[in-house]
Amino acid sequence: MDVDNSNLITIINADSAEQISRNLDEIQANKICRAVILTFADEITFAENNSSDEILLERIRHFPTPLITLVKNKVKGLLFEIVLASHLCIASDAAIFEITNKDLLEKQIGSAKADRLQQIGKQFDVATAYELGIINKITTTENLEKDALEITGKISHLAPIAIRYCLQAVNNGLEMSLEEGLRLETELFSRIFATADMKEGTRSFLEKRKPVFKGI
């Protein structure tokens, strides 16, 4: 696990599901990191998955810090499901995706795009993955980490509590009724008003300067 010089961005170069879990534990414990980049020492290692991996996938899906996954080559098995669970994904233009859990994929992309899967074979290219909303950006293999650092650099300067509540509202809201989701959104929005970061955001706007958020 590498930490960017700013100490706000952590890069996990994973070689096992267990390592990812350990690193996520460390990130939550230090409470400093504001964005995580997940890349893979060997993508083939994540080609298969089993029922125990669901714990890791839920951990990624509900992780309170923004997590961006980078993929280079073939995306299948556990790696495919990690991509679906991640908050954002950047893929190289050489990446190939193989459907391993069609029900999960249809739930992720929504019914409007699910019909498109009928026109696609078991494998599809990165352009199709982008069209379906599975990934958020296409770049070259050489630029994967650079592009991820650019995105996470921007995220790291935003108010971390507000970002965490946004993730919570989206992730939990998808599993709630509309009424419950709106209630959760209202509750989280009201909590933000009690933070020092909210006051800093207002003050910096009035003083015409960049805000300095401290996560409190």
Side-chain angles (χ1 to χ4, degrees):
M1 182 171 70
D2 300 319
V3 180
D4 185 72
N5 291 333
S6 66
N7 293 324
L8 300 178
I9 302 168
T10 300
I11 302 173
I12 300 175
N13 188 25
D15 57 21
S16 69
E18 292 76 13
Q19 185 207 346
I20 297 175
S21 293
R22 288 196 305 271
N23 288 164
L24 293 182
D25 285 340
E26 293 173 17
I27 290 167
Q28 277 195 279
N30 68 32
K31 299 181 180 179
I32 296 174
C33 177
R34 295 190 183 180
V36 179
I37 297 173
L38 178 58
T39 185
F40 302 88
D42 182 2
E43 293 182 353
I44 296 176
T45 302
F46 295 85
E48 303 299 330
N49 59 350
N50 55 64
S51 58
S52 64
D53 294 327
E54 185 58 36
I55 297 174
L56 173 62
L57 294 171
E58 279 298 298
R59 183 81 186 280
I60 292 172
R61 193 174 291 116
H62 294 282
F63 200 64
T65 303
L67 189 151
I68 298 180
T69 290
L70 311 185
V71 290
K72 302 174 184 176
N73 301 307
K74 191 160 188 176
V75 182
K76 61 181 291 189
L78 177 58
L79 180 54
F80 188 92
E81 296 197 21
I82 286 175
V83 167
L84 295 182
S86 301
H87 304 139
L88 295 171
C89 179
I90 303 177
S92 81
D93 49 15
I96 297 293
F97 294 75
E98 182 174 309
I99 299 174
T100 51
N101 187 329
K102 190 172 182 179
D103 291 338
L104 180 63
L105 177 57
E106 289 184 353
K107 179 180 179 182
Q108 182 85 3
I109 65 178
S111 58
K113 293 181 180 178
D115 290 341
R116 176 78 170 90
L117 294 179
Q118 305 304 321
Q119 308 166 23
I120 300 171
K122 188 176 182 180
Q123 290 189 0
F124 51 90
D125 60 15
V126 69
T128 303
Y130 181 79
E131 173 195 339
L132 293 173
I134 297 171
I135 64 172
N136 305 93
K137 183 179 177 65
I138 302 172
T139 187
T140 62
T141 302
E142 295 76 18
N143 287 334
L144 270 174
E145 190 169 308
K146 179 180 74 68
D147 288 354
L149 285 170
E150 182 179 334
I151 293 172
T152 52
K154 294 176 180 178
I155 292 173
S156 69
H157 290 97
L158 300 176
I161 297 176
I163 293 293
R164 184 167 70 247
Y165 285 169
C166 283
L167 291 175
Q168 184 178 342
V170 171
N171 289 325
N172 293 358
L174 289 172
E175 301 169 358
M176 296 177 171
S177 67
L178 177 60
E179 181 180 352
E180 292 171 329
L182 291 173
R183 190 181 302 120
L184 174 63
E185 183 179 341
T186 301
E187 178 188 342
L188 295 175
F189 188 68
S190 63
R191 288 186 196 175
I192 291 175
F193 272 85
T195 65
D197 279 352
M198 188 283 293
K199 298 179 178 64
E200 165 62 11
T202 303
R203 189 181 303 114
S204 64
F205 175 78
L206 295 174
E207 295 174 358
K208 296 181 173 59
R209 59 173 175 81
K210 290 184 177 180
V212 180
F213 296 117
K214 298 180 180 180
I216 56 177

